[in-house]
Amino acid sequence: CALGSFILMVVPQRRFEHAVALLVSTDKKAYEIADEVGFSDVRSFTEVFARLYGETPGGYRKRIRSADMGQDI
């Protein structure tokens, strides 16, 4: 959808780099991270995150933490 592509072009990548850092280094909830990186609601944050990274913030956190611990999901 054109609007989705436009949103991905407008949203600064640094916001999501910061979100990723928070996901893997803190226990903050997704809504807290969404607020911290400038999203007014967690649903929008989750949708854009999933488009960029191919999974939800929670799924990303679980996969990365599991890999860091040397465990398979």
Side-chain angles (χ1 to χ4, degrees):
C1 131
L3 179 59
S5 298
F6 176 75
I7 289 171
L8 291 178
M9 290 183 338
V10 172
V11 175
Q13 185 65 26
R14 287 186 180 184
R15 289 167 61 181
F16 283 93
E17 290 170 0
H18 184 59
V20 165
L22 292 171
L23 281 168
V24 299
S25 67
T26 73
D27 289 325
K28 289 184 177 185
K29 304 288 185 194
Y31 72 87
E32 294 172 308
I33 294 172
D35 184 59
E36 189 166 331
V37 299
F39 278 80
S40 58
D41 67 275
V42 70
R43 182 176 179 175
S44 296
F45 169 72
T46 300
E47 288 176 1
V48 177
F49 188 98
R51 285 187 180 188
L52 289 171
Y53 293 95
E55 58 192 325
T56 64
Y60 184 92
R61 172 185 271 163
K62 183 177 180 180
R63 181 176 58 79
I64 294 300
R65 287 189 173 178
S66 179
D68 284 348
M69 296 173 63
Q71 300 175 353
D72 291 329
I73 297 176

